[in-house]
Every structure is written in C-alpha cells, then in structure tokens.
C-alpha cells in the first residue's frame, strides 16, 4: 500500500508528506487496507475449514486497529488483562478471545472468566490449578488448551524463538498427555484444544508444519482418550520481508499448506498472527534534524529514536528508510540516529540512503508490528502520534503525548 507517485510517497491515496506536515513527527501511519487484506488472506485461505483467525494483540494494540479487525470478524490472542481490556473497548467478541502467556495472575484469570473468553492457552500445571479454582468459585467451567512445546527450531532470532525445550514457554509435548490426564480431576475445566506457538519472524514455514504434525497427532490421541478437544491453535509467527529481496512466505500459500495437513482432522483451526497482519501496514515518519560527520563517518540525526522504535537496537533489526519526497542526488552511506543519549540509539547503521537535508522527511518502513507497542518515554520523550489511512482519508487514532502526559500519575 506504500508507493511513489512521481516523487511523493503515498500510503493508499494519501501523500505521507501531508500527514507529516499536519500531524508532526515522529508519527506511525497505518494502512487500513493493508491490515484488512492480510486478515482476509488468512480468513479466505481457510475457506470451508472451520477456523478463527485470532489476531495477536501484542503486535499492535491500538484501539482503532483492533476495531478494524473486530469489524472484519477477527478473534484475538491476548497475553495480559490490559490487552483484554483493549479488545473489549474496541468492540471485540470475548467469545473469540484466547489468552496466552506463562505468567497469568489470579486477577487476570478472574477478569478473563468474568468476560467470558473462549479459552486459556495454559503453560503450566499450576496455572491449570489456578484457573480451575477460580472457575469453581464462579460456578463455571473454563475451556483450556495446553500450550505444548513441540521442540522444533524455528531458525529465527533467539529472543523471539519459543518452541525449543530450553525455552520458558509451554509444556514439553512428551509430558502433555499426562498433564491432560491429571486435569480430569479438576472439575471446572474442559479440555477444548491443543495449542502451540514456536516463535516469530519465521521465514521458512517448514518448522511450523513440523510442529503442526506433532500437535495433530497429540490431538488425535487425546480424542481417543475421551477428551472433548474441539480446536487446534497453531499460534502465529509467520515472518514478513524487512529487506528488499527478502522472501517471506505468502499467507495464502502457508494456510493452504496447513489445510492439506488438517483437512481431515475435524477440528476448528485457530491461528494467532500478529506481525504478518500489521507489520507491512505501518511506517514511522521522522524528520531529519541535522547532518554531521565525525571523521569519516556520516550521521543523519532524525527526530525518531529508540524509544519510538526499539527493534534496530534490541534485535539488530533492519528497516528500510526511504524519503517522503525523492530527490535526484547521489546517495550517501550514513548511520541514521535519534536524539537519545545512548550509542545504542540508532535506526540504521552504515546504510546507503537518499541524500537528505535537514527538514526532509523519511519513512522507516515495516513498522506496523512491534513498533509503537514497544515504545517508551525514555529521555522523557512524549510518545509518537498514530494515524490510520483509509483510502484518500487519514485520521489521528492516538494523539502525540504532551509534557503533561509524561508526568500523569506522579506525585512529588
Ligand atoms: C507473539 C505471539 C504471537 C504472534 O506472533 P507474530 O510473530 O507476531 O505472528 C502469537 N501467539 C503467541 C502465544 C505469541 O506469544
């Protein structure tokens, strides 16, 4: 949805320079069409197979984004009570919510039960016991799936890899049957499904398919043992292309690959995509403040920093950086850095980019996922504004924070 028309960069039918001028920078801009296209790619590829696409809220939890997906019929994968609050505020259907995470608190479990979520993805036996006790106190039955750890290597960055036995997530798949068996003694639980999620930014889907085969086999054994098991939750993790020429799996092809393995299972299939729905739908707009040279090294200092987008600093992630208005000048090689007082504050290092001047605007691409949600107020920097584009219209969906916002809730 990002394209140049003559020299100007557009999101859908809106020139991004207009948004930068009107809203200021830094600002995240999301294309609603891109988000909906990606959601529909999942939904339509499942075709007649019973399914729910549970968008992983942690990738981008802005209310307007959640509303867009709720209206399209999405379910939601949440990892905290705060995310549940957001989903409900945005009009999401609690009956399509699954709750993942290794550290659910009693208060969060209570809130989820009270809201009537579909199912808990449980990651330990103590968590099962807690959910059972809280459901008993309310006189209800809680649906659960055990998140199994299939011990496959997703070949991604170590911080976002989750499916190996050394990781904190899930219950080893070899122990799962015994845990389901012991859950029979917990009278307020219903074994609704089996879940897994092996990692994020996965560019080769083979390990996901390997995990799926293991989980399908487990679900079959559980059904034979008399457990209800109505759904399989296969998690998220499909990667997106961050670099030019990088190949990411197509959503439709990936789901078609799943369908051939799952068609006969008779189970409702759930997936929990985050990045592959919103990643490429977003850009971070920033303004060039200064150009400077230290020795041979060239720096472009911009007004967005690691507090706005931490992925380059945290994961050494690559984001393309392109001008909102192209000039025909020789390109330069520079570090693109923010104003934060840390050497780790950079958006790109030794990068060949357009020859930009102070006052020019740049777009940091593919920042719709794990962008704003990971932002902070470090260095007492107000957090960025967010804008949603719909066709030839754009609207602010989150105001830029003010200095007053920075000290809200504090006392001296
Ligand atoms: C983070 C996460 C997801 C989403 O991962 P993406 O890589 O953004 O698709 C899905 N499920 C669980 C349990 C997660 O922790």
């Amino acid at each position: 949805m990002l394209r140049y028309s003559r020299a100007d960069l557009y999101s859908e039918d809106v020139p991004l320079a207009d948004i930068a001028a009107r809203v200021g920078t830094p600002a995240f801009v999301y294309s609603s069409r891109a988000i909906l296209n990606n959601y529909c790619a999942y939904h339509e590829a499942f075709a007649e197979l019973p399914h729910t696409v549970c968008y992983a809220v942690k990738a981008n939890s802005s209310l307007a984004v959640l509303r867009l997906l709720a209206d399209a019929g999405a379910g939601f994968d949440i990892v905290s009570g705060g995310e549940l609050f957001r989903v409900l505020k945005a009009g999401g259907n609690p009956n399509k919510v699954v709750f993942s995470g290794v550290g659910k608190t009693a208060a969060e479990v209570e809130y989820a039960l009270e809201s009537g979520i579909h199912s808990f993805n449980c990651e330990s036996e103590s968590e099962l016991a807690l959910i059972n006790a809280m459901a008993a106190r309310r006189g209800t039955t809680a649906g659960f799936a055990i998140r199994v750890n299939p011990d496959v290597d997703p070949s991604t960055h170590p911080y976002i890899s989750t499916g190996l036995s050394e990781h904190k997530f899930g219950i080893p798949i070899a122990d799962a049957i015994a845990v389901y068996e012991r859950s029979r003694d917990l009278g307020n639980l219903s074994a609704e499904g089996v879940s897994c999620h092996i990692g994020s930014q996965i560019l080769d889907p083979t390990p996901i398919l390997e995990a799926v085969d293991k989980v399908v086999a487990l679900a079959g054994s559980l059904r034979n043992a008399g457990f209800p098991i109505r759904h399989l939750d296969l998690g998220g993790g499909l990667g997106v292309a961050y670099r030019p020429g990088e190949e990411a799996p197509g959503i439709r092809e990936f789901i078609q690959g799943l369908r051939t393995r799952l068609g006969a299972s008779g189970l409702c299939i759930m997936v929990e995509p985050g990045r592959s729905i919103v990643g490429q739908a977003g850009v971070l707009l920033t303004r060039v403040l200064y150009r400077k040279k230290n020795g041979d090294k060239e720096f472009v200092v911009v007004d967005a920093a690691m507090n706005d987008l931490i992925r380059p600093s945290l994961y050494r992630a690559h984001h393309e950086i392109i001008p909102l208005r192209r000039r025909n000048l020789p390109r330069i090689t520079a570090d693109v850095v923010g104003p934060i007082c840390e050497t780790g504050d950079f958006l790109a290092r030794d990068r060949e980019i357009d020859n930009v001047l102070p006052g020019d605007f740049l777009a940091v691409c593919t920042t719709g996922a794990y962008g704003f949600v990971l932002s902070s107020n470090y260095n007492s920097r107000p957090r960025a504004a967010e804008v949603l584009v719909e066709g030839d219209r754009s609207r602010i969906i989150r105001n830029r924070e003010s200095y007053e916002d920075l000290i809200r809730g504090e006392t001296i």
Side-chain angles (χ1 to χ4, degrees):
M1 301 302 128
L2 208 56
R3 68 189 162 85
Y4 281 101
S5 173
R6 301 227 185 95
D8 290 309
L9 187 64
Y10 281 68
S11 172
E12 301 189 25
D13 304 322
V14 180
L16 285 167
D18 287 2
I19 295 178
R22 183 164 56 88
V23 176
T25 51
F28 286 90
V29 180
Y30 312 118
S31 156
S32 58
R33 198 184 294 157
I35 294 172
L36 291 175
N37 281 353
N38 291 330
Y39 169 76
C40 289
Y42 274 103
H43 176 59
E44 287 163 12
F46 275 112
E48 75 294 339
L49 200 66
H51 66 274
T52 311
V53 179
C54 292
Y55 166 67
V57 174
K58 76 173 194 274
N60 182 327
S61 57
S62 294
L63 291 176
V65 170
L66 299 180
R67 168 62 64 91
L68 207 59
L69 289 162
D71 284 349
F76 296 94
D77 169 49
I78 59 165
V79 292
S80 71
E83 286 190 352
L84 177 55
F85 180 74
R86 285 184 169 277
V87 167
L88 298 176
K89 280 282 176 202
N93 179 353
N95 194 30
K96 288 187 181 179
V97 169
V98 294
F99 192 169
S100 304
V102 288
K104 303 174 188 79
T105 65
E108 288 175 320
V109 169
E110 174 93 55
Y111 181 33
L113 287 171
E114 180 186 289
S115 309
I117 68 160
H118 177 70
S119 182
F120 291 86
N121 286 337
C122 290
E123 306 220 9
S124 65
E125 273 194 274
S126 2
E127 184 193 327
L128 276 182
L130 172 73
I131 296 170
N132 182 63
M134 307 212 59
R137 213 165 67 189
R138 302 184 62 87
T140 60
T141 302
F144 77 94
I146 285 177
R147 173 170 177 184
V148 297
N149 189 324
D151 198 21
V152 298
D153 185 353
S155 318
T156 184
H157 190 284
Y159 289 4
I160 52 178
S161 170
T162 58
L164 282 169
S165 54
E166 71 213 55
H167 296 134
K168 69 178 177 181
F169 298 101
I171 289 177
I173 192 156
D175 303 345
I177 292 205
V179 175
Y180 277 100
E181 282 298 342
R182 288 194 288 276
S183 79
R184 288 191 204 264
D185 299 334
L186 304 174
N188 292 76
L189 293 182
S190 167
E192 293 291 315
V194 180
S195 76
C196 76
H197 169 75
I198 62 167
S200 198
Q201 184 52 14
I202 297 172
L203 290 175
D204 172 7
T206 317
I208 305 188
L209 298 175
E210 208 181 304
V212 166
D213 289 343
K214 292 187 176 191
V215 170
V216 170
L218 173 63
S221 311
L222 291 168
R223 284 193 10 146
N224 290 338
F227 292 98
I229 308 294
R230 284 176 263 266
H231 76 252
L232 278 187
D233 181 343
L234 303 173
L238 208 62
V240 299
Y242 284 101
R243 295 167 193 269
E246 192 167 45
E247 291 267 350
I251 293 170
R252 286 173 206 272
E253 295 70 43
F254 171 66
I255 295 300
Q256 275 151 14
L258 284 185
R259 267 173 59 193
T260 59
R261 290 172 136 84
L262 296 166
S265 70
L267 296 166
C268 174
I269 308 304
M270 294 174 142
V271 285
E272 303 170 346
R275 189 191 313 265
S276 53
I277 289 192
V278 290
Q280 290 193 308
V283 290
L284 170 61
L285 305 186
T286 184
R287 187 164 54 92
V288 177
L289 300 175
Y290 304 103
R291 287 270 301 264
K292 65 182 275 186
K293 247 184 158 161
N294 286 354
D296 286 341
K297 205 156 172 80
E298 179 100 50
F299 292 92
V300 174
V301 184
V302 298
D303 68 356
M306 66 187 284
N307 76 296
D308 301 299
L309 181 70
I310 204 173
R311 297 190 73 260
S313 309
L314 186 60
Y315 308 121
R316 287 288 177 127
H318 177 103
H319 289 273
E320 282 294 293
I321 300 179
I322 58 177
L324 298 199
R325 176 157 295 157
R326 280 199 288 218
R327 298 171 191 276
N328 275 325
L329 293 174
R331 286 158 71 83
I332 57 164
T333 297
D335 282 16
V336 181
V337 301
I340 283 186
C341 300
E342 281 218 21
T343 303
D345 178 30
F346 56 88
L347 298 178
R349 279 193 157 157
D350 294 319
R351 180 74 62 83
E352 191 187 310
I353 57 165
D354 267 55
N355 197 338
V356 285
L357 298 172
D360 285 354
F361 292 114
L362 293 169
V364 186
C365 299
T366 324
T367 47
Y370 307 105
F372 185 90
V373 284
L374 277 164
S375 66
S376 76
N377 292 122
Y378 188 38
N379 279 207
S380 284
R381 289 168 50 87
R383 286 185 305 165
E386 293 184 291
V387 174
L388 188 68
V389 173
E390 294 169 293
D392 59 3
R393 289 173 308 140
S394 69
R395 61 191 168 92
I396 294 175
I397 57 169
R398 182 197 302 264
N399 290 319
R400 180 179 311 289
E401 285 181 343
S402 65
Y403 287 159
E404 284 303 321
D405 291 329
L406 287 180
I407 59 167
R408 182 145 302 135
E410 287 188 49
T411 46
I412 291 176

